[in-house]
Amino acid sequence: MNSHLDPTDLGILNLLQENGRLTNKELAHQLNRTFSPIFDRRKRLEEMGYIKKYVAILDREKITTSLIAFPQIALTSHSEDALALFQKTVIAYTEVLECYHITGKYDFMLKIIIPDMHAYNAFLRQKIAPLENVGNVHSSLVISQSKAEIGLPL
């Protein structure tokens, strides 16, 4: 935990994780503080990068019938340049929701969204396989999701 964060800062962050639309007035009320200090603290938390952005979380199942897949990719070269090039390339793909550099048998794990298995096959063949230094790819497809929490425990 960062030593720059006091209980009021943590309270602001917790409340905004639950509802990013809260006004400073609502935050102040819920934290039993006055408006001005909450306004200043929220602005400081944004400027310091604790709050990256505000977004709406959409219900994927109401919008699309697409699949979620987690391909794990082993590279053949582990130089800093090879890792950086792979990462830079894959994060530009619209299908990629998340990209992790990981330990173990594989070097990267991606979370991707694709319309169907044909699109997944095309993604692997046309976008992943042609990349320099790609070795093995192991895929896991999501059958169901029982939890999707984006808030961090503070």
Side-chain angles (χ1 to χ4, degrees), residues 40-101:
D40 293 340
R41 284 171 179 260
R42 183 177 187 166
K43 184 173 176 76
R44 180 177 53 84
L45 290 167
E46 291 170 350
E47 289 170 353
M48 294 176 70
Y50 287 99
I51 300 170
K52 288 183 165 188
K53 63 182 175 178
Y54 297 91
V55 298
I57 300 168
L58 308 179
D59 186 334
R60 180 180 59 86
E61 292 178 354
K62 290 183 179 180
I63 294 172
T64 180
T65 58
S66 55
L67 300 172
I68 300 290
F70 290 92
Q72 295 178 325
I73 300 144
L75 301 182
T76 56
S77 171
H78 296 95
S79 71
E80 187 62 37
D81 289 343
L83 296 170
L85 178 60
F86 177 84
Q87 185 173 330
K88 179 182 177 186
T89 304
V90 298
I91 64 174
Y93 296 152
T94 57
E95 300 91 341
V96 176
L97 300 176
E98 299 173 24
C99 175
Y100 300 95
H101 184 196

Side-chain angles (χ1 to χ4, degrees), residues 112-131:
I112 67 166
I113 187 165
I114 60 290
D116 53 37
M117 285 302 295
H118 295 291
Y120 187 58
N121 185 39
F123 175 81
L124 291 178
R125 288 176 176 247
Q126 296 167 11
K127 292 188 174 181
I128 298 299
L131 295 177

Side-chain angles (χ1 to χ4, degrees), residues 15-57:
L15 289 169
L16 288 174
Q17 284 189 126
E18 289 296 316
N19 182 357
R21 297 180 72 187
L22 288 174
T23 65
N24 291 323
K25 182 178 178 181
E26 292 167 326
L27 286 170
H29 175 73
Q30 290 192 38
L31 294 170
N32 295 318
R33 301 282 189 262
T34 58
F35 173 83
S36 277
I38 295 300
F39 175 84
D40 293 340
R41 284 171 179 260
R42 183 177 187 166
K43 184 173 176 76
R44 180 177 53 84
L45 290 167
E46 291 170 350
E47 289 170 353
M48 294 176 70
Y50 287 99
I51 300 170
K52 288 183 165 188
K53 63 182 175 178
Y54 297 91
V55 298
I57 300 168

